[in-house]
Amino acid sequence: MKKPMARATRENIYGYTFIGIWVLGFLIFMVYPLLTSIFYSLNDVRFTADGIRTTFVGFDNYLKIFQIEQGFVFVESLTAFLQQMVLQIPVIVVFSILIALLLNQKIKGRGIFRSIFFLPVIISSGPVINELISQGAGGTNIFDSYGFITIIESTLNPGLAKPIVDLFSQIIIIFWFSGVQILIFIAGLQKIDGQIYEAAQIDGAGPWQSFWKITMPSLSSLIFVNTIYTIVLLTTFSENKVILSIKSNMFNTVTGFGMASAMAWLYALVVFITIGLVAFLFRTKNSRRRT
Amino acid sequence: MQNRKATIQKFFLGRHFTDGMIFKVAIYVLLISIGFVYLYPMLYMISNSLKSQSDIINPMINWIPSEFFMGNYQSAFRVLNYFSTFYKSWLVTLLPALIQTAVTSLIGYGFATFNFKFKKVWLVLVLLTFIIPPQVYMIPRYVMFFRLYLYRTPFSIILPALFGQGLNSAIFILIFYQFFRMIPKSLNEAAEIDGASQGYIFFKMAVPLSVPAYITSFLFGLVWYWNETYISSLFLDSSNANLQLKLANFVSEYQAVSGGNQNLVMLNEGVRLAATLLIILPMIIVYFTMQRWFVEGVEKTGITGE
């Protein structure tokens, strides 16, 4: 009779049998490409007749981003993207909380509204959104026609008005990026025990107080999740100018794979810093509440 | 008198405002107006794709065309080479979505059921793959597929999915991880004592219990792969192009089909919107037939994670 294996050994074997394929894939499609990409970013990479030729150039690729024209275009699109993202993330998160709150009320036709708000997730791809905007279906004309934009432009100083006007001109796109977040918030709202609200009411709390003292604290971890999700969504959107710039530099004879890789890493760094900053903010906020 | 005033007040403001009439009306007004902004692009698309050239120019015609003009759809069909492209699109949508669902469920099950060494490390790495911008690893992947002669074939999209590295695979692994964790461990142990193998437990017990997670994951995979354009624009050439790529290059495709520039005048808003509608149509059909799995799936599968 076979001697039964120790529990721990068995768990190890079974565990790795199930996740083994992921570990393998992670090495092949993630670790290896990441290392290669670091290597490329430190080299001048050329496609030649007999394969890829690399010449070590150190940090030249990174420095050149700030020196040559193709690099300037990239840096410009990166800063523009960052500015946009800083505005868009709070708008998307706040908007999805509001919609989730509305949809969480006892109203008729909840299902219909919920499916409408989720619809963009199903159909929005880069080319589709592009077509909609270029053919005037982006919906910005709704705001234009009521003179919204002119009011903002004439009342605020130009430095402040421009980002706000930009925001409005993309309002549909922002709405369209909030489908999953709305559902996640609704799920979160439904988990809150109704009795807590009743208890608060008896103690004399109004809806406003209940919202800030009960609803928001219970959503705080989901706000974090959704903020991260929104960042990833925006940074991987295929029509994002930074991504387009990296892609065009891949096949540009001046820059090539080397500089494109350097740009990609610079972009990754910016994304990591943004996510790190968000994580830091949420952590300090939460620890303050606990004390 | 006092009583009546109180009743009226109660009707409008409710006992604690949120159940009053004013509040209700405000909510409906908000939802309907925001809903309209959402549907506006869709309505615009439908209306203008059915307009003939003269209707589009005519300022008197706003939403309803003077006649239902199908010419735009005919042109769009021809330019997109719809049926053939449709088939190619499904190849890089349905297959990766199916494979990804199956593979990520195995991985998620492994994480949820067993306590193996470095489990936490691997889980963190799974999360990390979601955050890393694809641009950093796509260039080497491109070179890799090029060397393996997989470049410009559907395999360059299917293969990563097979190894749990597909589009948003990390999310699906986490969904299955959450879902399988809800199955009590004692169930697994009881089956083990009865002599069931781990494969048997997975296929005969865990999978049947997790049908909702499977359906939701598959549908999301389907939608995301259908709408994906960054990877496909890198890895597929024009002969393998899916519908999204054809739309992205619509003007040049149109020129190629109509043979030269002379017909470009006819390429109007209507044709392009008809093409756009034709591309989102399959997913809209999927959405409205499987709707409840999309919206309820997010709750049921515990995507919200604790």
Side-chain angles (χ1 to χ4, degrees), chain A residues 11-12 16 26 29 33 37 52 105 107-108 115 122 125 131 135 137 175 191 201 238 247 251 275, chain B residues 16 27-28 31 38 44 115-117 122 131 136 140-141 143 165 227 229 233 244 272 287 291 304:
Chain A
E11 294 262 324
N12 275 333
Y16 280 101
F26 180 69
F29 293 107
S37 151
I52 296 166
Q105 305 295 330
I107 47 160
K108 286 201 182 76
S115 358
I122 310 297
S125 70
E131 279 304 309
Q135 305 308 326
F175 281 14
K191 278 197 191 125
Q201 238 165 50
S238 67
K247 208 165 89 183
F251 305 105
I275 290 177
Chain B
H16 26 260
I27 282 184
Y28 279 113
L31 279 178
Y38 262 83
Y44 186 90
N115 268 318
F116 47 90
K117 263 190 192 151
W122 292 123
I131 297 170
V136 275
R141 269 198 202 178
V143 175
Q165 308 289 333
N227 287 332
T229 51
S233 71
Q244 304 280 357
R272 300 183 72 154
Y287 181 51
Q291 200 199 32
T304 51

Side-chain angles (χ1 to χ4, degrees), chain B residues 149-191:
Chain B
Y149 302 103
L150 295 172
Y151 170 58
R152 298 187 164 171
T153 66
F155 285 105
S156 52
I157 291 170
I158 294 169
L159 219 54
L162 184 65
F163 285 91
Q165 308 289 333
L167 186 61
N168 290 334
S169 276
I171 292 185
F172 298 114
I173 294 174
L174 290 179
I175 289 178
F176 281 113
Y177 171 63
Q178 292 284 355
F179 206 87
F180 286 127
R181 262 205 328 186
M182 291 192 291
I183 300 174
K185 220 163 171 177
S186 51
L187 208 67
N188 187 318
E189 276 157 15

